[in-house]
Amino acid sequence: MVDLDIIRDSINIQYDEKELETILLQFCNQPLNHDNFYIQNRSISKVLAYFFNDLIYKAKSKNGRYSPNEILYDDKLLRQALDYIGKHPNFYAQKSPEANLRDFFYSSSMCGKVTNFNPVIARKIFEHYMPCENATIFDYSCGFGSRMLGALTSPYKYRYVGVDPYRELYYRLLQFSNWISTVLGEDESRAQIINQGAEQFIDSLVGQVDLSFSSPPYFNYEIYTDEPTQAYIMWPTYEEFVKKFVSPLIQNLYAYTKPNGIHIVNLEDTKRIKMIDDWLRIAYEVGFKLVEKREIETLKRKSTKNKNLLLVMEK
Ligand SMILES: C[S@@+](CC[C@H](N)C(=O)[O-])C[C@H]1O[C@@H](n2cnc3c(N)ncnc32)[C@H](O)[C@@H]1O
């Protein structure tokens, strides 16, 4: 019988920090073709996995029944997952049980692993829509660091400001931004992370933002933590969530954005939650003009039929 504790102990890939530094520096020096949104570098995601995987495994998406951690730390569920993997050797053909389990977390409907926006696509979006040195990017829901990584590795030397109310994640983001600036040999002033909800107004940002971009929470489709400051916990019905979170957030973004500045949102409409139309309606009311609607094929989970759109607007 497989020893479950050995699997638990080895589920997180052990990365060598020197290797991660090399990956970061190579990505910084790699010019990206931002006319398309293809993923031109896969190694850079290792950096995010190293810093955020444990927090990603705690979170749960509605596209599966359990979070990765709920499966990992329940003997019965873990054995069930390993049995399933054992019965499908053609599909789960990695070299070790833990590598197969990582694939299982991604592909099985038993597991609702949350997605993280791809950092290569994030950097391409910034470079495509704001090809200006030292521009200020505002990320209104930092999540697991992908937009911060994209902004800080671009040759445009963007200034990054991000907000997220999740306390444990905030400290991790600080650690991550310190690591990036140390490896790049820069001071830490290019990144600022603020531990609060995006619906709260920040005076110092008025008229300062060239481009805002995020992949905000789709109401309660993904559960990251039970901290009471999460938007879907503070406003537990979808109607309240739109009125008390989405609406003030878009008004804030309009106030923060410079004239002719850009606002971008990545939204996913699920069977139950349809945010795209609500977001557009509020953005129009506030004064944004729609410039483009764009589908990013690579962001779609293979297992869902959810509609994933990038909405690009101008002030
Ligand atoms: C970036 S979003 C969605 C992640 C998405 N699946 C992706 O691909 O990027 C996730 C973040 O929203 C954050 N969040 C929750 N309530 C928020 C609020 N009121 N303001 C800003 N961010 C919030 C959560 O803490 C979490 O880190």
Side-chain angles (χ1 to χ4, degrees):
M1 188 167 302
V2 215
D3 184 332
L4 301 185
D5 283 331
I6 292 184
I7 296 201
R8 288 172 185 132
D9 288 343
S10 45
I11 193 74
N12 283 318
I13 300 173
Q14 298 301 310
Y15 293 109
D16 168 39
E17 275 219 32
K18 275 272 160 272
E19 184 200 341
L20 297 179
E21 289 176 19
T22 308
I23 289 173
L24 184 76
L25 290 166
Q26 279 171 349
F27 184 54
C28 274
N29 292 324
Q30 178 184 358
L32 297 181
N33 175 2
H34 41 80
D35 292 335
N36 65 60
F37 290 165
Y38 299 133
I39 301 171
Q40 271 177 266
N41 181 316
R42 302 240 166 223
S43 305
I44 191 66
S45 292
K46 290 183 187 174
V47 168
L48 291 179
Y50 177 75
F51 278 92
F52 299 99
N53 214 37
D54 59 327
L55 298 182
I56 290 175
Y57 274 14
K58 277 186 188 180
K60 177 160 81 176
S61 149
K62 290 225 181 324
N63 68 356
R65 268 170 291 150
Y66 304 100
S67 70
N69 271 4
E70 283 170 338
I71 296 176
L72 263 178
Y73 295 103
D74 181 302
D75 287 1
K76 199 168 145 227
L77 293 179
L78 185 51
R79 281 196 205 291
Q80 202 179 316
L82 295 171
D83 276 355
Y84 184 90
I85 290 169
K87 285 181 187 145
H88 298 84
N90 292 337
F91 191 78
Y92 294 105
Q94 299 277 11
K95 287 198 190 89
S96 65
E98 58 277 9
N100 279 326
L101 193 60
R102 284 192 285 271
D103 283 358
F104 178 87
F105 289 158
Y106 182 72
S107 58
S108 162
S109 63
M110 180 179 172
C111 185
K113 185 180 167 205
V114 299
T115 52
N116 194 12
F117 200 86
N118 184 282
V120 182
I121 303 182
R123 194 179 125 186
K124 285 189 173 197
I125 288 173
F126 299 145
E127 294 180 2
H128 182 81
Y129 293 103
M130 193 49 64
C132 304
E133 243 173 73
N134 304 120
T136 297
I137 307 263
F138 179 60
D139 181 354
Y140 41 94
S141 251
C142 298
F144 305 109
S146 55
R147 283 167 292 273
M148 177 159 81
L149 179 58
L152 298 181
T153 50
S154 169
Y156 288 107
K157 300 278 174 205
Y158 297 118
R159 175 169 172 250
Y160 171 91
V161 184
V163 298
D164 201 298
Y166 182 178
R167 198 96 187 132
E168 193 179 1
L169 175 60
Y170 165 71
Y171 288 115
R172 195 66 62 82
L173 288 161
L174 286 180
Q175 241 182 329
F176 185 46
S177 88
N178 287 346
W179 178 80
I180 296 177
S181 51
T182 306
V183 177
L184 301 187
E186 296 176 346
D187 67 39
E188 286 151 25
S189 60
R190 274 214 291 137
Q192 185 189 359
I193 305 147
I194 304 167
N195 188 212
Q196 65 175 56
E199 69 281 11
Q200 288 174 254
F201 191 66
I202 305 169
D203 289 296
S204 60
L205 283 182
V206 173
Q208 298 298 312
V209 171
D210 293 282
L211 181 148
S212 63
F213 172 47
S214 204
S215 190
Y218 312 137
F219 184 46
N220 62 3
Y221 189 68
E222 294 185 338
I223 305 291
Y224 309 97
T225 165
D226 54 12
E227 288 181 12
T229 49
Q230 291 289 298
Y232 57 84
I233 297 182
M234 288 184 72
W235 299 290
T237 66
Y238 179 70
E239 289 67 30
E240 276 180 289
F241 172 83
V242 170
K243 214 165 136 193
K244 303 277 182 52
F245 171 68
V246 179
S247 187
L249 159 59
I250 299 177
Q251 288 176 41
N252 293 351
L253 293 175
Y254 194 79
Y256 301 159
T257 307
K258 292 179 184 171
N260 303 112
I262 301 286
H263 162 53
I264 306 180
V265 62
N266 171 58
L267 288 174
E268 187 174 320
D269 265 0
T270 69
K271 214 155 66 179
R272 218 169 37 87
I273 305 156
K274 313 269 180 225
M275 267 176 73
I276 296 177
D277 285 348
D278 283 325
W279 198 282
L280 263 179
R281 174 180 52 78
I282 297 164
Y284 287 144
E285 280 167 13
V286 164
F288 281 114
K289 297 177 288 264
L290 183 69
V291 178
E292 193 182 350
K293 276 186 187 180
R294 184 164 177 165
E295 232 174 292
I296 306 179
E297 268 310 311
T298 42
L299 287 181
K300 242 192 204 151
R301 287 185 204 91
K302 286 189 188 68
S303 55
T304 70
K305 294 195 175 70
N306 293 349
K307 187 173 163 200
N308 210 147
L309 270 190
L310 205 63
L311 304 177
V312 183
M313 291 168 241
E314 195 183 49
K315 178 165 175 176

